[in-house]
Amino acid sequence: MIAQPKTGSTGGWEARILAQLEQRDMRVSTVARVIESYNRLAGKVGDFASHTRASEARTREIQGEHERLMEYDRATGGGMIGGGGGSNAIAQQRISELEKEVDGLKEERTLLYRTQATNAQRLLELSDRMRETDERMQQQDLEIADSHEALRRANAKVDDMGAAAKEKDGTIEILQDELSALQLEIVQIEERCSRLQTENDDLVKRWLKKMNEEAEKVNEVTRELELIKRKSAAVSPRMSGAVEEGVLDERFFGEHAATAVAAAAAIRGVSTVPRAAVGKIDARMEELHSIALSHDGEVLAVGGQSNAVKVFDAQTGDSIYSLAGCLKGVNHVDISADGKLLVAASSDHTARIWRLDTGRAWKTLSGHIGGVMTAKFNSNATRLFTYSQDRTVKVWDVARGLCVRTLFTVSGCHDLALLDADGARIVTAHMDNSVRVWDSASGKRVAEAAVHREQVMSVSVSRLGSRILTNSYDGTLKLLDARTLAVLAVLSAPAYRPSRNWARASLSPDERYAMAGSIDGKLYVWDVATGDLVRTLDIHKSAVCDALWSASGTRVYSAEKNRYILILQ
């Protein structure tokens, strides 16, 4: 009997192996019985053979005696057989007995021959059966050996799995400890968030109060400006010119001079529709992607397929800097409101910042895992907002060069814009035909609307942050309410078709006009209030990738994909 292997479990594979071993034992016992029967049969055959040899010897002995008797009878002249004496009768009787005995021995020999033949046949059959049984046993031995090997491997695997389970138990204990620590940290962070939320609510209230005070000051300055405009001709020609040109001296308005300038610009409504090109700047790049104009209108930055950002004098077109540092092409450029910093969003997964007063690289912001498509400063350049092809928006502390918040946009974007000066809320243009508004502090989505039939290529926000201009590959521009994302106006033209990759539209400073370039090189200008197309300028030789107004609203810069930027008035 084969001993059963010791295992750590009673799985199905062990039951099958045990069943196979039991079947093998049954077959072995059957073969043993066959062998025993064969041995008995062989013994009987041997006995028959001995008996046959003894019978043959007795037969030969009787035949010899019979022949001697016959020979003696012939020698005596037939006295024993042919004579009539008593000895003759005895001899005759003896011969008859011997003949009968010979006949019986012959029959017995015949029977023995037949039995021997039958036994020989059975022996052959048993031999064949034994050979087949031996072959099956060999095959079964091989199978049993394989089963033992499989069992050994299974036991080894069970041991390995037991060791791995112990290791995982240890890991789970470590993770549970870490989870407990993290939960404690989360509780502490939630407490901090609660305190910060309270502080934030207080700051918002103070900010709203401050904004209301500023609004009252602006209204007061506006009323004073109206009064000054009515009396300027009689009081001072110089003062009249200052009001008309937006140059207001602090002698007249003191600490509110900057506010007065903004209010004067809003009152004047000085944005004009461009009529013709008055200048041309050669960017010396094979392909342009983006342009940016400083707030004072003195500096123009250009980004494109080249690894360098080109900086020009916006008035004369003269080259100022060629800012190197990017390892791949530049997708977007932006200049801070104070005109001191320039940022480039590059396909090398970084955003790089230069100082425009020296032309030297200042910061390299790394953290995205895809090409950076857009980068924009907030009003005081303390925060930078970048969007990447990794579908994240990152908020950066500019001074420290650190990422302070990451927003996951879910779907791919083409552009982003800030809805307020600080960048507390931002809007993104998406490939799924939607625009989304985000709270940059919490990273939460505030609003969402599918406003176009095809991809939204760009978003532009009015100066007061109340309206959003979108440009879509479906051939329409839409003006949205920044609070509700409701469509206020739809702007289109029969032949207008934006470029798929680079198609930024912009609002004029006074928000009267919207402008966008087409893939056929034409520049389109619409009246926002009526939705009418007011002008089409066929001035470019390739697709228009970017177009923007100067802060004064009297000059337009329009960039075509192939190398050139036109200055229009």
Side-chain angles (χ1 to χ4, degrees), residues 413-415 429-430 452 454-459 470-474 498-505:
C413 292
H414 280 297
D415 197 11
H430 289 263
H452 286 281
E454 296 191 39
Q455 300 180 24
V456 185
M457 311 306 296
S458 74
V459 285
T470 65
N471 187 17
S472 170
Y473 196 66
D474 62 13
S499 172
R500 179 173 290 275
N501 293 326
W502 318 105
R504 292 185 175 90

mmCIF file with all atom_site columns, all heavy atoms in Angstrom, residues 413-415 429-430 452 454-459 470-474 498-505:
data_model
loop_
_atom_site.group_PDB
_atom_site.id
_atom_site.type_symbol
_atom_site.label_atom_id
_atom_site.label_alt_id
_atom_site.label_comp_id
_atom_site.label_asym_id
_atom_site.label_entity_id
_atom_site.label_seq_id
_atom_site.pdbx_PDB_ins_code
_atom_site.Cartn_x
_atom_site.Cartn_y
_atom_site.Cartn_z
_atom_site.occupancy
_atom_site.B_iso_or_equiv
_atom_site.pdbx_formal_charge
_atom_site.auth_seq_id
_atom_site.auth_comp_id
_atom_site.auth_asym_id
_atom_site.auth_atom_id
_atom_site.pdbx_PDB_model_num
ATOM 1   N N   . CYS A 1 413 ? -7.947  70.456 -22.497 1.00 0.00 ? 413 CYS A N   1
ATOM 2   C CA  . CYS A 1 413 ? -8.222  71.893 -22.649 1.00 0.00 ? 413 CYS A CA  1
ATOM 3   C C   . CYS A 1 413 ? -7.405  72.478 -23.795 1.00 0.00 ? 413 CYS A C   1
ATOM 4   O O   . CYS A 1 413 ? -6.398  71.912 -24.217 1.00 0.00 ? 413 CYS A O   1
ATOM 5   C CB  . CYS A 1 413 ? -7.881  72.646 -21.368 1.00 0.00 ? 413 CYS A CB  1
ATOM 6   S SG  . CYS A 1 413 ? -8.933  72.274 -19.971 1.00 0.00 ? 413 CYS A SG  1
ATOM 7   N N   . HIS A 1 414 ? -7.870  73.638 -24.257 1.00 0.00 ? 414 HIS A N   1
ATOM 8   C CA  . HIS A 1 414 ? -7.084  74.428 -25.210 1.00 0.00 ? 414 HIS A CA  1
ATOM 9   C C   . HIS A 1 414 ? -6.584  75.728 -24.588 1.00 0.00 ? 414 HIS A C   1
ATOM 10  O O   . HIS A 1 414 ? -5.538  76.242 -24.987 1.00 0.00 ? 414 HIS A O   1
ATOM 11  C CB  . HIS A 1 414 ? -7.929  74.753 -26.439 1.00 0.00 ? 414 HIS A CB  1
ATOM 12  C CG  . HIS A 1 414 ? -8.040  73.650 -27.434 1.00 0.00 ? 414 HIS A CG  1
ATOM 13  N ND1 . HIS A 1 414 ? -6.967  73.147 -28.124 1.00 0.00 ? 414 HIS A ND1 1
ATOM 14  C CD2 . HIS A 1 414 ? -9.103  72.923 -27.835 1.00 0.00 ? 414 HIS A CD2 1
ATOM 15  C CE1 . HIS A 1 414 ? -7.357  72.161 -28.924 1.00 0.00 ? 414 HIS A CE1 1
ATOM 16  N NE2 . HIS A 1 414 ? -8.646  72.003 -28.765 1.00 0.00 ? 414 HIS A NE2 1
ATOM 17  N N   . ASP A 1 415 ? -7.335  76.283 -23.628 1.00 0.00 ? 415 ASP A N   1
ATOM 18  C CA  . ASP A 1 415 ? -6.999  77.611 -23.129 1.00 0.00 ? 415 ASP A CA  1
ATOM 19  C C   . ASP A 1 415 ? -7.588  77.784 -21.729 1.00 0.00 ? 415 ASP A C   1
ATOM 20  O O   . ASP A 1 415 ? -8.486  77.035 -21.309 1.00 0.00 ? 415 ASP A O   1
ATOM 21  C CB  . ASP A 1 415 ? -7.561  78.676 -24.078 1.00 0.00 ? 415 ASP A CB  1
ATOM 22  C CG  . ASP A 1 415 ? -6.916  80.036 -23.872 1.00 0.00 ? 415 ASP A CG  1
ATOM 23  O OD1 . ASP A 1 415 ? -5.905  80.116 -23.156 1.00 0.00 ? 415 ASP A OD1 1
ATOM 24  O OD2 . ASP A 1 415 ? -7.435  81.030 -24.433 1.00 0.00 ? 415 ASP A OD2 1
ATOM 25  N N   . ALA A 1 429 ? -11.283 76.274 -21.442 1.00 0.00 ? 429 ALA A N   1
ATOM 26  C CA  . ALA A 1 429 ? -11.926 75.907 -22.710 1.00 0.00 ? 429 ALA A CA  1
ATOM 27  C C   . ALA A 1 429 ? -11.575 74.463 -23.025 1.00 0.00 ? 429 ALA A C   1
ATOM 28  O O   . ALA A 1 429 ? -10.391 74.111 -23.081 1.00 0.00 ? 429 ALA A O   1
ATOM 29  C CB  . ALA A 1 429 ? -11.441 76.822 -23.834 1.00 0.00 ? 429 ALA A CB  1
ATOM 30  N N   . HIS A 1 430 ? -12.592 73.618 -23.266 1.00 0.00 ? 430 HIS A N   1
ATOM 31  C CA  . HIS A 1 430 ? -12.375 72.175 -23.335 1.00 0.00 ? 430 HIS A CA  1
ATOM 32  C C   . HIS A 1 430 ? -12.647 71.593 -24.727 1.00 0.00 ? 430 HIS A C   1
ATOM 33  O O   . HIS A 1 430 ? -13.434 72.140 -25.504 1.00 0.00 ? 430 HIS A O   1
ATOM 34  C CB  . HIS A 1 430 ? -13.265 71.459 -22.314 1.00 0.00 ? 430 HIS A CB  1
ATOM 35  C CG  . HIS A 1 430 ? -12.823 71.671 -20.905 1.00 0.00 ? 430 HIS A CG  1
ATOM 36  N ND1 . HIS A 1 430 ? -12.046 70.779 -20.218 1.00 0.00 ? 430 HIS A ND1 1
ATOM 37  C CD2 . HIS A 1 430 ? -13.024 72.719 -20.068 1.00 0.00 ? 430 HIS A CD2 1
ATOM 38  C CE1 . HIS A 1 430 ? -11.805 71.240 -19.007 1.00 0.00 ? 430 HIS A CE1 1
ATOM 39  N NE2 . HIS A 1 430 ? -12.391 72.412 -18.881 1.00 0.00 ? 430 HIS A NE2 1
ATOM 40  N N   . HIS A 1 452 ? -20.925 74.922 -27.152 1.00 0.00 ? 452 HIS A N   1
ATOM 41  C CA  . HIS A 1 452 ? -20.621 74.814 -28.579 1.00 0.00 ? 452 HIS A CA  1
ATOM 42  C C   . HIS A 1 452 ? -20.880 73.402 -29.083 1.00 0.00 ? 452 HIS A C   1
ATOM 43  O O   . HIS A 1 452 ? -21.030 72.457 -28.294 1.00 0.00 ? 452 HIS A O   1
ATOM 44  C CB  . HIS A 1 452 ? -19.159 75.202 -28.847 1.00 0.00 ? 452 HIS A CB  1
ATOM 45  C CG  . HIS A 1 452 ? -18.900 76.676 -28.753 1.00 0.00 ? 452 HIS A CG  1
ATOM 46  N ND1 . HIS A 1 452 ? -19.210 77.552 -29.760 1.00 0.00 ? 452 HIS A ND1 1
ATOM 47  C CD2 . HIS A 1 452 ? -18.355 77.413 -27.744 1.00 0.00 ? 452 HIS A CD2 1
ATOM 48  C CE1 . HIS A 1 452 ? -18.854 78.783 -29.400 1.00 0.00 ? 452 HIS A CE1 1
ATOM 49  N NE2 . HIS A 1 452 ? -18.339 78.726 -28.175 1.00 0.00 ? 452 HIS A NE2 1
ATOM 50  N N   . GLU A 1 454 ? -18.689 72.002 -31.244 1.00 0.00 ? 454 GLU A N   1
ATOM 51  C CA  . GLU A 1 454 ? -17.370 71.405 -31.421 1.00 0.00 ? 454 GLU A CA  1
ATOM 52  C C   . GLU A 1 454 ? -16.415 71.991 -30.389 1.00 0.00 ? 454 GLU A C   1
ATOM 53  O O   . GLU A 1 454 ? -16.823 72.746 -29.505 1.00 0.00 ? 454 GLU A O   1
ATOM 54  C CB  . GLU A 1 454 ? -16.861 71.615 -32.852 1.00 0.00 ? 454 GLU A CB  1
ATOM 55  C CG  . GLU A 1 454 ? -17.702 70.926 -33.916 1.00 0.00 ? 454 GLU A CG  1
ATOM 56  C CD  . GLU A 1 454 ? -17.033 70.932 -35.278 1.00 0.00 ? 454 GLU A CD  1
ATOM 57  O OE1 . GLU A 1 454 ? -15.804 70.752 -35.323 1.00 0.00 ? 454 GLU A OE1 1
ATOM 58  O OE2 . GLU A 1 454 ? -17.747 71.129 -36.282 1.00 0.00 ? 454 GLU A OE2 1
ATOM 59  N N   . GLN A 1 455 ? -15.135 71.643 -30.501 1.00 0.00 ? 455 GLN A N   1
ATOM 60  C CA  . GLN A 1 455 ? -14.146 72.019 -29.493 1.00 0.00 ? 455 GLN A CA  1
ATOM 61  C C   . GLN A 1 455 ? -14.103 73.542 -29.283 1.00 0.00 ? 455 GLN A C   1
ATOM 62  O O   . GLN A 1 455 ? -14.228 74.315 -30.225 1.00 0.00 ? 455 GLN A O   1
ATOM 63  C CB  . GLN A 1 455 ? -12.759 71.552 -29.916 1.00 0.00 ? 455 GLN A CB  1
ATOM 64  C CG  . GLN A 1 455 ? -12.631 70.048 -30.093 1.00 0.00 ? 455 GLN A CG  1
ATOM 65  C CD  . GLN A 1 455 ? -11.232 69.657 -30.514 1.00 0.00 ? 455 GLN A CD  1
ATOM 66  O OE1 . GLN A 1 455 ? -10.267 70.372 -30.259 1.00 0.00 ? 455 GLN A OE1 1
ATOM 67  N NE2 . GLN A 1 455 ? -11.108 68.523 -31.173 1.00 0.00 ? 455 GLN A NE2 1
ATOM 68  N N   . VAL A 1 456 ? -13.916 73.922 -28.012 1.00 0.00 ? 456 VAL A N   1
ATOM 69  C CA  . VAL A 1 456 ? -13.736 75.335 -27.676 1.00 0.00 ? 456 VAL A CA  1
ATOM 70  C C   . VAL A 1 456 ? -12.237 75.622 -27.736 1.00 0.00 ? 456 VAL A C   1
ATOM 71  O O   . VAL A 1 456 ? -11.448 75.018 -27.015 1.00 0.00 ? 456 VAL A O   1
ATOM 72  C CB  . VAL A 1 456 ? -14.304 75.652 -26.276 1.00 0.00 ? 456 VAL A CB  1
ATOM 73  C CG1 . VAL A 1 456 ? -14.201 77.154 -26.004 1.00 0.00 ? 456 VAL A CG1 1
ATOM 74  C CG2 . VAL A 1 456 ? -15.751 75.181 -26.170 1.00 0.00 ? 456 VAL A CG2 1
ATOM 75  N N   . MET A 1 457 ? -11.858 76.557 -28.618 1.00 0.00 ? 457 MET A N   1
ATOM 76  C CA  . MET A 1 457 ? -10.434 76.785 -28.876 1.00 0.00 ? 457 MET A CA  1
ATOM 77  C C   . MET A 1 457 ? -9.803  77.813 -27.919 1.00 0.00 ? 457 MET A C   1
ATOM 78  O O   . MET A 1 457 ? -8.629  77.720 -27.605 1.00 0.00 ? 457 MET A O   1
ATOM 79  C CB  . MET A 1 457 ? -10.228 77.266 -30.315 1.00 0.00 ? 457 MET A CB  1
ATOM 80  C CG  . MET A 1 457 ? -10.951 76.405 -31.366 1.00 0.00 ? 457 MET A CG  1
ATOM 81  S SD  . MET A 1 457 ? -10.536 74.658 -31.242 1.00 0.00 ? 457 MET A SD  1
ATOM 82  C CE  . MET A 1 457 ? -8.808  74.719 -31.615 1.00 0.00 ? 457 MET A CE  1
ATOM 83  N N   . SER A 1 458 ? -10.600 78.796 -27.454 1.00 0.00 ? 458 SER A N   1
ATOM 84  C CA  . SER A 1 458 ? -10.029 79.824 -26.584 1.00 0.00 ? 458 SER A CA  1
ATOM 85  C C   . SER A 1 458 ? -11.114 80.446 -25.718 1.00 0.00 ? 458 SER A C   1
ATOM 86  O O   . SER A 1 458 ? -12.311 80.360 -26.032 1.00 0.00 ? 458 SER A O   1
ATOM 87  C CB  . SER A 1 458 ? -9.328  80.916 -27.407 1.00 0.00 ? 458 SER A CB  1
ATOM 88  O OG  . SER A 1 458 ? -10.292 81.746 -28.052 1.00 0.00 ? 458 SER A OG  1
ATOM 89  N N   . VAL A 1 459 ? -10.679 81.060 -24.622 1.00 0.00 ? 459 VAL A N   1
ATOM 90  C CA  . VAL A 1 459 ? -11.557 81.856 -23.760 1.00 0.00 ? 459 VAL A CA  1
ATOM 91  C C   . VAL A 1 459 ? -10.853 83.176 -23.470 1.00 0.00 ? 459 VAL A C   1
ATOM 92  O O   . VAL A 1 459 ? -9.645  83.218 -23.247 1.00 0.00 ? 459 VAL A O   1
ATOM 93  C CB  . VAL A 1 459 ? -11.904 81.137 -22.439 1.00 0.00 ? 459 VAL A CB  1
ATOM 94  C CG1 . VAL A 1 459 ? -12.908 80.040 -22.669 1.00 0.00 ? 459 VAL A CG1 1
ATOM 95  C CG2 . VAL A 1 459 ? -10.663 80.584 -21.767 1.00 0.00 ? 459 VAL A CG2 1
ATOM 96  N N   . THR A 1 470 ? -15.853 83.143 -26.031 1.00 0.00 ? 470 THR A N   1
ATOM 97  C CA  . THR A 1 470 ? -15.327 81.842 -26.441 1.00 0.00 ? 470 THR A CA  1
ATOM 98  C C   . THR A 1 470 ? -15.201 81.785 -27.961 1.00 0.00 ? 470 THR A C   1
ATOM 99  O O   . THR A 1 470 ? -15.954 82.442 -28.682 1.00 0.00 ? 470 THR A O   1
ATOM 100 C CB  . THR A 1 470 ? -16.246 80.699 -25.973 1.00 0.00 ? 470 THR A CB  1
ATOM 101 O OG1 . THR A 1 470 ? -17.525 80.817 -26.640 1.00 0.00 ? 470 THR A OG1 1
ATOM 102 C CG2 . THR A 1 470 ? -16.450 80.740 -24.473 1.00 0.00 ? 470 THR A CG2 1
ATOM 103 N N   . ASN A 1 471 ? -14.270 80.988 -28.409 1.00 0.00 ? 471 ASN A N   1
ATOM 104 C CA  . ASN A 1 471 ? -14.077 80.768 -29.845 1.00 0.00 ? 471 ASN A CA  1
ATOM 105 C C   . ASN A 1 471 ? -14.037 79.258 -30.075 1.00 0.00 ? 471 ASN A C   1
ATOM 106 O O   . ASN A 1 471 ? -13.312 78.536 -29.398 1.00 0.00 ? 471 ASN A O   1
ATOM 107 C CB  . ASN A 1 471 ? -12.764 81.403 -30.309 1.00 0.00 ? 471 ASN A CB  1
ATOM 108 C CG  . ASN A 1 471 ? -12.613 81.344 -31.826 1.00 0.00 ? 471 ASN A CG  1
ATOM 109 O OD1 . ASN A 1 471 ? -13.581 81.122 -32.539 1.00 0.00 ? 471 ASN A OD1 1
ATOM 110 N ND2 . ASN A 1 471 ? -11.394 81.544 -32.301 1.00 0.00 ? 471 ASN A ND2 1
ATOM 111 N N   . SER A 1 472 ? -14.852 78.768 -31.013 1.00 0.00 ? 472 SER A N   1
ATOM 112 C CA  . SER A 1 472 ? -14.990 77.328 -31.208 1.00 0.00 ? 472 SER A CA  1
ATOM 113 C C   . SER A 1 472 ? -14.687 76.947 -32.649 1.00 0.00 ? 472 SER A C   1
ATOM 114 O O   . SER A 1 472 ? -14.836 77.752 -33.576 1.00 0.00 ? 472 SER A O   1
ATOM 115 C CB  . SER A 1 472 ? -16.413 76.878 -30.840 1.00 0.00 ? 472 SER A CB  1
ATOM 116 O OG  . SER A 1 472 ? -16.631 75.543 -31.228 1.00 0.00 ? 472 SER A OG  1
ATOM 117 N N   . TYR A 1 473 ? -14.313 75.675 -32.782 1.00 0.00 ? 473 TYR A N   1
ATOM 118 C CA  . TYR A 1 473 ? -14.064 75.144 -34.118 1.00 0.00 ? 473 TYR A CA  1
ATOM 119 C C   . TYR A 1 473 ? -15.352 74.977 -34.920 1.00 0.00 ? 473 TYR A C   1
ATOM 120 O O   . TYR A 1 473 ? -15.301 74.694 -36.108 1.00 0.00 ? 473 TYR A O   1
ATOM 121 C CB  . TYR A 1 473 ? -13.337 73.806 -33.999 1.00 0.00 ? 473 TYR A CB  1
ATOM 122 C CG  . TYR A 1 473 ? -12.689 73.358 -35.290 1.00 0.00 ? 473 TYR A CG  1
ATOM 123 C CD1 . TYR A 1 473 ? -11.635 74.074 -35.840 1.00 0.00 ? 473 TYR A CD1 1
ATOM 124 C CD2 . TYR A 1 473 ? -13.137 72.224 -35.965 1.00 0.00 ? 473 TYR A CD2 1
ATOM 125 C CE1 . TYR A 1 473 ? -11.043 73.680 -37.021 1.00 0.00 ? 473 TYR A CE1 1
ATOM 126 C CE2 . TYR A 1 473 ? -12.546 71.818 -37.156 1.00 0.00 ? 473 TYR A CE2 1
ATOM 127 C CZ  . TYR A 1 473 ? -11.503 72.554 -37.672 1.00 0.00 ? 473 TYR A CZ  1
ATOM 128 O OH  . TYR A 1 473 ? -10.921 72.162 -38.851 1.00 0.00 ? 473 TYR A OH  1
ATOM 129 N N   . ASP A 1 474 ? -16.513 75.158 -34.284 1.00 0.00 ? 474 ASP A N   1
ATOM 130 C CA  . ASP A 1 474 ? -17.766 75.110 -35.038 1.00 0.00 ? 474 ASP A CA  1
ATOM 131 C C   . ASP A 1 474 ? -18.015 76.385 -35.825 1.00 0.00 ? 474 ASP A C   1
ATOM 132 O O   . ASP A 1 474 ? -19.044 76.534 -36.493 1.00 0.00 ? 474 ASP A O   1
ATOM 133 C CB  . ASP A 1 474 ? -18.951 74.818 -34.114 1.00 0.00 ? 474 ASP A CB  1
ATOM 134 C CG  . ASP A 1 474 ? -19.154 75.899 -33.056 1.00 0.00 ? 474 ASP A CG  1
ATOM 135 O OD1 . ASP A 1 474 ? -18.551 76.985 -33.173 1.00 0.00 ? 474 ASP A OD1 1
ATOM 136 O OD2 . ASP A 1 474 ? -19.918 75.638 -32.096 1.00 0.00 ? 474 ASP A OD2 1
ATOM 137 N N   . PRO A 1 498 ? -11.936 78.906 -37.767 1.00 0.00 ? 498 PRO A N   1
ATOM 138 C CA  . PRO A 1 498 ? -10.672 79.065 -37.032 1.00 0.00 ? 498 PRO A CA  1
ATOM 139 C C   . PRO A 1 498 ? -9.731  77.894 -37.270 1.00 0.00 ? 498 PRO A C   1
ATOM 140 O O   . PRO A 1 498 ? -10.137 76.796 -37.645 1.00 0.00 ? 498 PRO A O   1
ATOM 141 C CB  . PRO A 1 498 ? -11.133 79.108 -35.570 1.00 0.00 ? 498 PRO A CB  1
ATOM 142 C CG  . PRO A 1 498 ? -12.372 78.283 -35.570 1.00 0.00 ? 498 PRO A CG  1
ATOM 143 C CD  . PRO A 1 498 ? -13.048 78.528 -36.897 1.00 0.00 ? 498 PRO A CD  1
ATOM 144 N N   . SER A 1 499 ? -8.459  78.145 -37.025 1.00 0.00 ? 499 SER A N   1
ATOM 145 C CA  . SER A 1 499 ? -7.473  77.070 -37.056 1.00 0.00 ? 499 SER A CA  1
ATOM 146 C C   . SER A 1 499 ? -7.713  76.158 -35.860 1.00 0.00 ? 499 SER A C   1
ATOM 147 O O   . SER A 1 499 ? -8.084  76.613 -34.774 1.00 0.00 ? 499 SER A O   1
ATOM 148 C CB  . SER A 1 499 ? -6.058  77.655 -36.995 1.00 0.00 ? 499 SER A CB  1
ATOM 149 O OG  . SER A 1 499 ? -5.112  76.635 -36.832 1.00 0.00 ? 499 SER A OG  1
ATOM 150 N N   . ARG A 1 500 ? -7.511  74.848 -36.049 1.00 0.00 ? 500 ARG A N   1
ATOM 151 C CA  . ARG A 1 500 ? -7.835  73.912 -34.968 1.00 0.00 ? 500 ARG A CA  1
ATOM 152 C C   . ARG A 1 500 ? -6.888  74.057 -33.782 1.00 0.00 ? 500 ARG A C   1
ATOM 153 O O   . ARG A 1 500 ? -7.312  73.984 -32.628 1.00 0.00 ? 500 ARG A O   1
ATOM 154 C CB  . ARG A 1 500 ? -7.771  72.479 -35.508 1.00 0.00 ? 500 ARG A CB  1
ATOM 155 C CG  . ARG A 1 500 ? -8.072  71.427 -34.456 1.00 0.00 ? 500 ARG A CG  1
ATOM 156 C CD  . ARG A 1 500 ? -8.175  70.046 -35.053 1.00 0.00 ? 500 ARG A CD  1
ATOM 157 N NE  . ARG A 1 500 ? -9.363  69.876 -35.860 1.00 0.00 ? 500 ARG A NE  1
ATOM 158 C CZ  . ARG A 1 500 ? -10.563 69.535 -35.364 1.00 0.00 ? 500 ARG A CZ  1
ATOM 159 N NH1 . ARG A 1 500 ? -10.705 69.361 -34.077 1.00 0.00 ? 500 ARG A NH1 1
ATOM 160 N NH2 . ARG A 1 500 ? -11.591 69.401 -36.152 1.00 0.00 ? 500 ARG A NH2 1
ATOM 161 N N   . ASN A 1 501 ? -5.626  74.258 -34.007 1.00 0.00 ? 501 ASN A N   1
ATOM 162 C CA  . ASN A 1 501 ? -4.662  74.256 -32.906 1.00 0.00 ? 501 ASN A CA  1
ATOM 163 C C   . ASN A 1 501 ? -4.467  75.634 -32.279 1.00 0.00 ? 501 ASN A C   1
ATOM 164 O O   . ASN A 1 501 ? -4.299  75.753 -31.071 1.00 0.00 ? 501 ASN A O   1
ATOM 165 C CB  . ASN A 1 501 ? -3.314  73.728 -33.395 1.00 0.00 ? 501 ASN A CB  1
ATOM 166 C CG  . ASN A 1 501 ? -3.396  72.260 -33.771 1.00 0.00 ? 501 ASN A CG  1
ATOM 167 O OD1 . ASN A 1 501 ? -4.127  71.503 -33.170 1.00 0.00 ? 501 ASN A OD1 1
ATOM 168 N ND2 . ASN A 1 501 ? -2.658  71.877 -34.796 1.00 0.00 ? 501 ASN A ND2 1
ATOM 169 N N   . TRP A 1 502 ? -4.454  76.682 -33.078 1.00 0.00 ? 502 TRP A N   1
ATOM 170 C CA  . TRP A 1 502 ? -4.153  78.010 -32.545 1.00 0.00 ? 502 TRP A CA  1
ATOM 171 C C   . TRP A 1 502 ? -5.199  78.978 -33.095 1.00 0.00 ? 502 TRP A C   1
ATOM 172 O O   . TRP A 1 502 ? -5.128  79.403 -34.245 1.00 0.00 ? 502 TRP A O   1
ATOM 173 C CB  . TRP A 1 502 ? -2.751  78.456 -32.960 1.00 0.00 ? 502 TRP A CB  1
ATOM 174 C CG  . TRP A 1 502 ? -1.741  77.359 -32.860 1.00 0.00 ? 502 TRP A CG  1
ATOM 175 C CD1 . TRP A 1 502 ? -1.183  76.653 -33.873 1.00 0.00 ? 502 TRP A CD1 1
ATOM 176 C CD2 . TRP A 1 502 ? -1.195  76.818 -31.654 1.00 0.00 ? 502 TRP A CD2 1
ATOM 177 N NE1 . TRP A 1 502 ? -0.319  75.704 -33.392 1.00 0.00 ? 502 TRP A NE1 1
ATOM 178 C CE2 . TRP A 1 502 ? -0.301  75.782 -32.033 1.00 0.00 ? 502 TRP A CE2 1
ATOM 179 C CE3 . TRP A 1 502 ? -1.363  77.101 -30.302 1.00 0.00 ? 502 TRP A CE3 1
ATOM 180 C CZ2 . TRP A 1 502 ? 0.417   75.042 -31.105 1.00 0.00 ? 502 TRP A CZ2 1
ATOM 181 C CZ3 . TRP A 1 502 ? -0.646  76.356 -29.390 1.00 0.00 ? 502 TRP A CZ3 1
ATOM 182 C CH2 . TRP A 1 502 ? 0.226   75.353 -29.783 1.00 0.00 ? 502 TRP A CH2 1
ATOM 183 N N   . ALA A 1 503 ? -6.162  79.340 -32.237 1.00 0.00 ? 503 ALA A N   1
ATOM 184 C CA  . ALA A 1 503 ? -7.230  80.243 -32.681 1.00 0.00 ? 503 ALA A CA  1
ATOM 185 C C   . ALA A 1 503 ? -7.759  80.997 -31.469 1.00 0.00 ? 503 ALA A C   1
ATOM 186 O O   . ALA A 1 503 ? -8.768  80.620 -30.889 1.00 0.00 ? 503 ALA A O   1
ATOM 187 C CB  . ALA A 1 503 ? -8.348  79.467 -33.368 1.00 0.00 ? 503 ALA A CB  1
ATOM 188 N N   . ARG A 1 504 ? -7.058  82.067 -31.069 1.00 0.00 ? 504 ARG A N   1
ATOM 189 C CA  . ARG A 1 504 ? -7.479  82.833 -29.904 1.00 0.00 ? 504 ARG A CA  1
ATOM 190 C C   . ARG A 1 504 ? -8.236  84.085 -30.354 1.00 0.00 ? 504 ARG A C   1
ATOM 191 O O   . ARG A 1 504 ? -7.793  84.798 -31.251 1.00 0.00 ? 504 ARG A O   1
ATOM 192 C CB  . ARG A 1 504 ? -6.284  83.220 -29.051 1.00 0.00 ? 504 ARG A CB  1
ATOM 193 C CG  . ARG A 1 504 ? -5.630  82.020 -28.380 1.00 0.00 ? 504 ARG A CG  1
ATOM 194 C CD  . ARG A 1 504 ? -4.517  82.449 -27.427 1.00 0.00 ? 504 ARG A CD  1
ATOM 195 N NE  . ARG A 1 504 ? -3.976  81.303 -26.714 1.00 0.00 ? 504 ARG A NE  1
ATOM 196 C CZ  . ARG A 1 504 ? -2.963  80.562 -27.136 1.00 0.00 ? 504 ARG A CZ  1
ATOM 197 N NH1 . ARG A 1 504 ? -2.387  80.857 -28.289 1.00 0.00 ? 504 ARG A NH1 1
ATOM 198 N NH2 . ARG A 1 504 ? -2.541  79.530 -26.424 1.00 0.00 ? 504 ARG A NH2 1
ATOM 199 N N   . ALA A 1 505 ? -9.378  84.320 -29.714 1.00 0.00 ? 505 ALA A N   1
ATOM 200 C CA  . ALA A 1 505 ? -10.177 85.517 -29.965 1.00 0.00 ? 505 ALA A CA  1
ATOM 201 C C   . ALA A 1 505 ? -10.011 86.461 -28.780 1.00 0.00 ? 505 ALA A C   1
ATOM 202 O O   . ALA A 1 505 ? -9.627  86.050 -27.681 1.00 0.00 ? 505 ALA A O   1
ATOM 203 C CB  . ALA A 1 505 ? -11.638 85.137 -30.145 1.00 0.00 ? 505 ALA A CB  1
#
